[in-house]
Amino acid sequence: MKKVLTTPLRDEDLADLKIGDVVYLTGRLVTCRDVAHRRLIEQGRQLPVNLEGGAIFHAGPIVRKKDDGGFEMVSIGPTTSMRMEKFEREFIKQTGVKLIVGKGGMGPETVAGCQEHKAVHAIFPGGCAVLAATQVEEIEGAEWQDLGMPETLWINRVKVFGPLIISIDTHGNNLIQQNKTQFQAKKKPVLDRISKELSFIK
């Protein structure tokens, strides 16, 4: 059975999640990436959308304006989460966001922020941007449009959005970092053997 998280999210909704778990999201998902993070953290500007208990998506979507003045999601793929690493801990603290979705993993500052404020980071698979757009039921709003389409805060209503792979949980575990450690341990003996067998090459 699919585990579906519904916004607004509470601490107890996330407490049992472990890295590697697959979840889906129903409710509100706001695209929020580099410039929005900088405006909040570096410029001290208040976000024009309440993220308390909410979910953000590190994404730069392609959006079409409809004849009625509304918007339609065409494509919504994740952008690299690590770009937001230097901001995310403080972002979590200031906004109360509970779920951060993006591409790839994040680092120790985000891990600390997730542990301190009971939030999680999840990976959305790359290459599925058009599929993801079909999971957006409606674009309910658009803030900071002066930033251009990729950086605008698009406020999306989503239904069973995913799959989302938990990469940082509320207990200080980091899936990508653990995988790197395991891969490095496996790699060393292989490299040692190769080096030994090829030692005649100068």
Side-chain angles (χ1 to χ4, degrees):
M1 193 172 98
K2 286 182 178 178
K3 180 168 181 59
V4 181
L5 302 173
T6 303
T7 60
L9 299 165
R10 303 163 301 164
D11 291 1
E12 51 265 39
D13 296 329
L14 309 177
D16 294 336
L17 293 178
K18 303 183 297 294
I19 54 173
D21 286 353
V22 175
V23 299
Y24 295 80
L25 180 72
T26 290
R28 178 186 270 190
L29 178 63
V30 181
T31 62
C32 185
R33 43 184 275 170
D34 307 58
V35 181
H37 279 71
R38 286 206 297 272
R39 276 190 171 179
L40 177 72
I41 306 304
E42 293 180 346
Q43 299 176 10
R45 293 177 61 174
Q46 191 171 353
L47 288 180
V49 56
N50 180 13
L51 293 177
E52 190 77 38
I56 63 169
F57 193 15
H58 296 154
I62 298 170
V63 177
R64 179 188 297 126
K65 192 159 190 175
K66 299 193 290 188
D67 293 340
D68 63 6
F71 296 99
E72 177 188 3
M73 189 60 70
V74 176
S75 172
I76 182 168
T79 197
T80 303
S81 285
M82 193 57 87
R83 295 216 310 264
M84 273 57 75
E85 169 66 11
K86 64 181 177 181
F87 304 117
E88 210 68 79
R89 184 179 187 177
E90 184 64 23
F91 188 95
I92 295 166
K93 179 182 177 182
Q94 289 193 32
T95 64
V97 70
K98 289 294 179 190
L99 172 64
I100 299 149
V101 180
K103 181 169 70 178
M106 296 192 77
E109 283 295 298
T110 303
V111 170
C114 286
Q115 199 166 9
E116 290 160 359
H117 305 288
K118 305 303 176 203
V120 296
H121 177 269
I123 296 168
F124 182 85
C128 302
V130 175
L131 171 66
T134 67
Q135 298 169 351
V136 175
E137 291 192 308
E138 186 182 350
I139 298 176
E140 296 181 334
E143 299 288 348
W144 285 351
Q145 291 186 55
D146 61 297
L147 297 178
M149 188 184 295
E151 298 282 353
T152 292
L153 297 171
W154 297 101
I155 303 163
N156 305 284
R157 188 174 75 241
V158 299
K159 187 169 185 181
V160 197
F161 184 89
L164 309 174
I165 304 159
I166 300 298
S167 68
I168 295 172
D169 60 26
T170 59
H171 309 289
N173 301 305
N174 185 336
L175 178 66
I176 301 299
Q177 191 53 52
Q178 282 193 19
N179 284 347
K180 279 183 184 173
T181 303
Q182 291 173 8
F183 297 154
Q184 290 296 339
K186 289 178 181 175
K187 189 169 77 172
K188 188 179 183 322
V190 175
L191 287 176
D192 288 347
R193 192 173 74 245
I194 291 171
S195 296
K196 189 176 177 183
E197 290 178 8
L198 300 180
S199 60
F200 63 90
I201 300 175
K202 299 298 182 192

